[in-house]
Amino acid sequence: MIIKISSGILALVYSGLGNTGWIKTIHYNSSGHIGTVIDSYQFSASVMQAMPVKLDSNTYALAVTNSGWDGWLYTLDIDSSGNIGTVIDTYEWEPFSAGLHDIVKVRENIIAIKAGILSLDFTILTFNVSNDGTIVEELDSQYIYTWSSPSPMYKLSEGIYLTNGDRNPG
């Protein structure tokens, strides 16, 4: 996954060699040419999928599924120059069966994760994250029975998000 940090700087969040979780920041120019690597940071020893969202000017959250199918939420700082700080906080939101997911910032200090849990059904979870990146609490979760394919969440208007799921006809 790629996320824009600032003008001319992108961050790549990916699973590297041996399923290790990495963030790497790089320069790019207005013509689209990719330049040098600015910084890199291994945030986890075991990652199958990681999705980032920007919380404020320097704080980012990552929804992560590790190779044991555990679901984790990480917060960390990346400054506007692309320098990556260490992990601020972590929270395990699913200890057994976190599948493919998406993460969105709902409003200041509130994020939502859509996670495939228990086969292809999914759950929406919300979290309170303070301005300094501390994960304060899981606010709510709602299990939604569908036969859901991996899909992102889209903001339609304030407080209203759309995601799809194909109802299993059987």
Side-chain angles (χ1 to χ4, degrees):
M1 178 57 106
I2 299 173
I3 190 166
K4 183 178 178 180
I5 302 299
S6 60
S7 179
I9 299 174
L10 299 173
L12 296 98
V13 181
Y14 64 97
S15 179
L17 186 63
N19 289 331
T20 54
W22 286 90
I23 298 176
K24 193 173 281 189
T25 52
I26 60 170
H27 288 284
Y28 71 96
N29 67 24
S30 60
S31 301
H33 295 312
I34 298 169
T36 58
V37 171
I38 302 164
D39 201 359
S40 63
Y41 179 73
Q42 182 181 346
F43 64 89
S44 176
S46 170
V47 170
M48 291 177 54
Q49 180 189 23
M51 302 290 287
V53 67
K54 189 173 190 169
L55 300 177
D56 65 27
S57 61
N58 290 338
T59 309
Y60 294 80
L62 304 173
V64 174
T65 299
N66 71 17
S67 59
W69 293 99
D70 299 344
W72 287 88
L73 178 62
Y74 289 76
T75 56
L76 59 100
D77 280 333
I78 305 174
D79 70 22
S80 61
S81 298
N83 299 305
I84 303 168
T86 59
V87 169
I88 299 166
D89 203 0
T90 61
Y91 178 84
E92 185 176 25
W93 49 267
E94 173 55 50
F96 304 111
S97 60
L100 299 173
H101 53 267
D102 192 19
I103 184 171
V104 296
K105 178 179 176 181
V106 177
R107 64 182 179 88
E108 184 177 354
N109 301 102
I110 306 293
I111 59 171
I113 295 174
K114 173 193 171 191
I117 297 183
L118 303 174
S119 71
L120 294 175
D121 297 336
F122 69 88
T123 296
I124 304 286
L125 305 102
T126 55
F127 298 88
N128 180 357
V129 180
S130 69
N131 290 334
D132 68 359
T134 302
I135 302 165
V136 178
E137 64 185 329
E138 181 177 327
L139 296 170
D140 202 1
S141 66
Q142 179 67 48
Y143 174 76
I144 307 204
Y145 178 78
T146 66
W147 192 256
S148 178
S149 55
S151 61
M153 292 186 287
Y154 299 99
K155 184 174 184 175
L156 298 179
S157 64
E158 190 60 38
I160 299 176
Y161 290 79
L162 169 72
T163 188
N164 77 329
D166 304 322
R167 180 81 174 160
N168 184 355

